[in-house]
């Protein structure tokens, strides 16, 4: 595996224990963040392949508009947790939604644990273990565990390490991204396709 992979985690405690016990894995500082995803009542942004998110982490808020087709992102500071009036994102959102009001469609509270696999004292691979509580469209929150694996070098991740990690945490590939949780399968398929 090269690049990035996102897994659903079947046994997060076993995965965290396995990573913590591995002689070449170092645990880094954890973090938490609150993501608020916004759209119109009719889902106009998502229908046009756009994701609008406000993230609060470490006392800082930022807004992000992401085009899913091109993976282009625009980021701006969101001082009070709201879109800055007159900013680039605000202007684009107004144009995309024909000035239809936007509101919260889902929130994702994520607690993240970070690990790195070392090879010859260099960071080789980064692994994150996320517990995300997703509340979508007023439904009760759901807890999702994901593990992201990112190869930090151009060479592939050690396949033996990856296989053992997948087994330890009962990992299933191709997990959904946080913004995809709670939007329904039909909407995900329409966007993907």
């Amino acid at each position: 595996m090269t690049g990035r992979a996102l897994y659903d985690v079947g046994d997060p405690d076993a995965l965290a224990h396995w990573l913590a016990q591995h002689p070449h894995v170092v645990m880094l500082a954890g973090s938490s963040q609150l993501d608020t995803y916004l759209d119109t009542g009719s889902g106009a942004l998502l229908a046009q392949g756009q994701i609008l998110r406000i993230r609060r982490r470490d006392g800082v808020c930022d807004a992000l508009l992401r085009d899913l087709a091109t993976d282009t992102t625009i980021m701006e500071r969101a001082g009070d947790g709201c879109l800055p009036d007159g900013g680039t994102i605000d202007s684009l959102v107004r144009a995309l939604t024909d000035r239809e009001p936007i509101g919260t469609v889902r929130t994702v509270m994520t607690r993240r644990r970070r690990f790195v696999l070392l090879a010859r004292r260099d960071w080789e691979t980064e692994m994150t273990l996320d517990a995300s509580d997703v509340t979508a469209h007023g439904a009760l929150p759901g807890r999702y565990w994901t593990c992201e694996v990112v190869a930090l070098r151009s060479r592939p991740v050690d396949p033996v390490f990856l296989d053992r990690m997948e087994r330890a945490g009962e990992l299933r590939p191709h997990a959904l991204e946080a913004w995809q949780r709670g939007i329904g399968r039909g909407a995900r398929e329409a966007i993907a396709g």
Side-chain angles (χ1 to χ4, degrees):
M1 183 214 93
T2 57
R4 173 184 180 267
L6 188 63
Y7 296 91
D8 281 313
V9 180
D11 192 343
D13 292 332
L15 178 59
H17 179 76
W18 186 84
L19 287 168
Q21 298 299 317
H22 194 282
H24 300 289
V25 172
V26 175
M27 187 170 170
L28 304 175
S31 64
S32 61
Q33 65 195 33
L34 176 65
D35 292 335
T36 303
Y37 292 88
L38 306 161
D39 204 338
T40 65
S42 64
L45 290 173
L46 189 58
Q48 296 177 63
Q50 304 291 316
I51 299 297
L52 177 59
R53 181 207 73 209
I54 295 180
R55 174 170 288 164
R56 293 171 181 85
R57 177 175 48 201
D58 299 329
V60 176
C61 293
D62 63 61
L64 174 135
L65 183 64
R66 177 176 164 203
D67 184 306
L68 298 173
T70 63
D71 203 29
T72 304
T73 59
I74 301 170
M75 288 188 68
E76 295 177 341
R77 276 274 204 247
D80 58 356
C82 298
L83 285 178
D85 284 334
T88 304
I89 292 176
D90 181 51
S91 300
L92 286 169
V93 167
R94 287 175 190 264
L96 289 167
T97 63
D98 197 27
R99 297 186 176 272
E100 185 180 344
I102 61 170
T104 301
V105 293
R106 85 187 52 73
T107 58
V108 181
M109 179 65 199
T110 302
R111 284 165 292 292
R112 172 171 286 173
R113 291 188 263 178
R114 294 177 57 216
F115 304 86
V116 290
L117 174 63
L118 299 175
R120 297 181 199 96
R121 298 187 198 160
D122 289 330
W123 288 22
E124 179 78 16
T125 305
E126 181 177 10
M127 292 81 52
T128 58
L129 178 58
D130 291 348
S132 298
D133 296 320
V134 179
T135 304
H137 304 289
L140 292 173
R143 163 109 0 130
Y144 300 95
W145 287 91
T146 56
C147 178
E148 180 181 38
V149 178
V150 179
L152 301 174
R153 306 267 182 248
S154 58
R155 58 184 172 265
V157 175
D158 176 8
V160 174
F161 173 84
L162 193 58
D163 180 64
R164 290 181 180 163
M165 186 177 75
E166 289 172 349
R167 291 172 191 260
E170 300 173 15
L171 304 183
R172 295 176 303 280
H174 313 297
L176 296 177
E177 300 283 349
W179 65 266
Q180 295 173 305
R181 304 279 183 183
I183 66 171
R185 187 169 147 185
R188 281 194 304 274
E189 290 170 353
I191 293 165

